[in-house]
């Protein structure tokens, strides 16, 4: 028998916001929108509540959570800020940038997977900020989806993925940015390093720091190597096999069967067919990021034999972010 749906979707009325904030303050879980994707939130200082996040998502305990705060002062209660971390936070917060910093002892070790550092961000979404303020808690919140599947950018996506595992979903419409935050390692202020590409570029961060940021490198790892906390290769994956291509040429497309889908950044000129999809009309990267996860879900529901996706060219931050999510979605689980 299929599991019973337990979740209810709440509109952001004042009464509902008060109710959901109370759920959070009392150690419950609430899925809520941020400007990047929908998050599954719990009081970050309540180890039991955070354990429930891992359980609901089926997320391995080795994958640490990002803690969301409402102010720099609140961030400083959970993490050690260097002068330059403060500078970066003041420039980019609220916004889609997560800082990895030395943690303070009050953060339960379940949140950081036992690491001595904590990932912290101040989101820009008004509803999420309102939940932080009303609950009085810093909120740990990974994406609100079963672990490993495509991240949710609407309340409907959350309901589809976690509807039988959680009770409360706040609907704030589609997430504006659509891909997860940029993650910057600032544990050592002299060696800033990009851990995940996102909307905010290392160029912009480097300009504030007055020094270069170590670029992101996806590590090629032997099959059975131990996985360091938070460095999972396989993520954001549709069930349909996803194949990445640098460039889909007419010749290579000729070999692809019509029951396999082709995904482009831009509507390809002179090509048509039921299996041709594109993320944008005009190649705007903001739109590509905004639509990416919804498109992967749509293709996954379309029962295609495979999905062939063309990587985006260039070094723009969102191009790197979209390619990173596509690459991880295409990675095969280690045996
Ligand atoms: P998300 O899946 O969007 O919730 O992002 C969580 C990711 O943040 C993890 O998978 C890690 O890659 C990263 N992260 C969180 N905490 C830490 C940490 N203390 N050190 C390094 N990376 C972290
Ligand atoms: Mg996630």
């Amino acid at each position: 028998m299929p599991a019973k749906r337990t979740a209810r979707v709440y509109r952001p009325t004042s009464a509902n916001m008060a109710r959901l904030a109370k759920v959070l303050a009392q150690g419950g879980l609430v899925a809520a929108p941020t400007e990047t994707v929908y998050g599954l939130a719990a009081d970050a200082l309540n180890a039991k509540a955070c354990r429930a996040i891992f359980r609901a998502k089926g997320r391995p305990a080795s994958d640490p959570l990002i803690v969301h705060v409402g102010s720099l002062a609140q961030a400083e209660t959970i993490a050690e800020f260097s002068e330059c971390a403060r500078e970066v936070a003041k420039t980019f917060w609220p916004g889609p940038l997560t800082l990895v910093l030395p943690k303070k002892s009050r953060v339960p070790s379940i949140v950081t997977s036992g690491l001595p550092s904590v990932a912290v961000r101040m989101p820009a979404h008004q509803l999420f900020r309102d939940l932080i303020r009303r609950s009085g808690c810093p909120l740990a919140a990974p994406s609100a989806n079963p672990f490993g599947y495509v991240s949710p950018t609407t309340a409907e996506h959350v309901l589809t993925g976690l509807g039988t595992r959680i009770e409360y979903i706040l609907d704030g419409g589609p997430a504006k940015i659509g891909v997860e935050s940029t993650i910057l390692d600032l544990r050592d202020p002299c060696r800033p390093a990009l851990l995940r590409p996102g909307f905010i570029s290392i160029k912009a961060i480097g300009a504030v720091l007055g020094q270069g940021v170590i670029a992101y490198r996806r590590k090629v790892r032997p099959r059975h190597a131990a996985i360091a906390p938070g460095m999972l290769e396989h993520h954001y994956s549709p069930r349909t096999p996803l194949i990445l291509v640098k460039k889909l040429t007419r010749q290579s497309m000729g070999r692809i069967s019509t029951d396999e889908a082709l995904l482009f950044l831009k509507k390809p000129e002179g090509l048509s067919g039921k299996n041709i999809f594109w993320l944008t009309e005009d190649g705007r990267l903001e739109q590509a990021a905004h639509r990416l996860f919804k498109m992967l879900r749509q293709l996954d529901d379309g029962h295609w034999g495979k999905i062939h996706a063309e990587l985006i060219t260039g070094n723009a931050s969102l191009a790197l972010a979209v390619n990173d999510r596509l690459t991880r979605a295409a990675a095969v689980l280690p045996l």
Side-chain angles (χ1 to χ4, degrees):
M1 212 173 54
K4 197 168 151 264
R5 177 175 284 183
T6 48
R8 217 188 113 187
V9 177
Y10 293 80
R11 285 183 303 111
T13 61
S14 184
N16 284 343
M17 293 302 288
R19 177 168 180 188
L20 297 178
K22 193 165 165 206
V23 169
L24 288 165
Q26 292 176 343
L29 302 186
V30 174
T34 80
E35 72 275 30
T36 58
V37 301
Y38 271 66
L40 181 59
D43 176 359
L45 302 180
N46 179 336
K48 199 168 156 211
C50 292
R51 215 166 288 123
I53 293 182
F54 284 90
R55 229 181 5 251
K57 279 180 61 77
R59 181 172 172 119
S62 59
D63 197 8
L65 306 178
I66 294 175
V67 181
H68 296 71
V69 294
S71 65
L72 187 54
Q74 191 176 39
E76 299 219 25
T77 67
I78 58 166
E80 299 285 353
F81 276 71
S82 58
E83 213 25 71
C84 65
R86 221 168 268 132
E87 220 30 63
V88 171
K90 280 182 185 158
T91 309
F92 297 103
W93 284 359
L97 176 66
T98 297
L99 302 179
V100 173
L101 297 169
K103 88 172 185 82
K104 291 203 168 156
S105 60
R106 62 199 295 252
V107 180
S109 70
I110 174 108
V111 171
T112 65
S113 303
L115 292 169
S117 56
V118 62
V120 54
R121 140 168 138 87
M122 191 197 295
H125 199 291
Q126 275 318 320
L127 295 177
F128 205 92
R129 292 172 63 75
D130 202 28
L131 287 179
I132 296 172
R133 190 180 52 79
R134 287 183 191 242
S135 67
C137 311
L139 296 177
S143 51
N145 55 325
F147 177 72
Y149 193 62
V150 181
S151 298
T153 54
T154 65
E156 185 65 36
H157 294 165
V158 181
L159 191 62
T160 306
L162 295 179
T164 60
R165 304 193 202 171
I166 61 173
E167 288 178 61
Y168 302 96
I169 302 173
L170 174 62
D171 189 352
K176 206 165 144 200
I177 294 180
V179 291
E180 296 82 351
S181 58
T182 302
I183 304 182
L184 181 71
D185 179 1
L186 261 184
R187 286 170 305 166
D188 176 353
C190 299
R191 284 181 58 79
L194 183 67
L195 298 181
R196 179 171 72 187
F199 181 83
I200 292 178
S201 70
I202 55 172
K203 203 166 150 205
I205 298 166
V208 173
L209 288 172
Q211 63 174 320
V213 175
I214 300 168
Y216 174 62
R217 279 218 182 79
R218 288 174 45 76
K219 292 194 189 77
V220 180
R221 209 176 291 113
R223 274 203 152 185
H224 298 288
I227 293 176
M231 295 305 284
L232 295 165
E233 200 76 9
H234 172 86
H235 219 89
Y236 316 110
S237 302
R239 293 172 298 270
T240 315
L242 176 65
I243 295 164
L244 302 184
V245 201
K246 269 214 171 119
K247 180 100 197 117
L248 280 164
T249 60
R250 272 187 192 281
Q251 204 183 19
S252 61
M253 278 186 284
R255 289 193 292 269
I256 292 171
S257 117
T258 50
D259 72 349
E260 298 178 6
L262 305 180
L263 177 61
F264 295 87
L265 168 65
K266 235 180 4 184
K267 184 171 194 278
E269 270 173 44
L271 261 189
S272 58
K274 281 207 174 85
N275 64 335
I276 310 278
F277 297 86
W278 53 91
L279 288 168
T280 72
E281 300 298 326
D282 54 8
R284 264 195 324 117
L285 295 175
E286 285 78 10
Q287 192 165 64
H290 178 71
R291 292 186 178 167
L292 176 71
F293 288 138
K294 190 173 179 190
M295 176 60 83
L296 287 180
R297 284 168 179 267
Q298 184 191 326
L299 292 174
D300 213 12
D301 293 340
H303 305 290
W304 299 99
K306 286 177 191 157
I307 305 163
H308 301 262
E310 198 177 72
L311 288 166
I312 300 180
T313 53
N315 273 330
S317 202
L318 278 179
L320 300 181
V322 169
N323 286 349
D324 169 65
R325 305 316 186 265
L326 282 172
T327 309
R328 290 210 243 177
V332 177
L333 265 181
L335 294 173

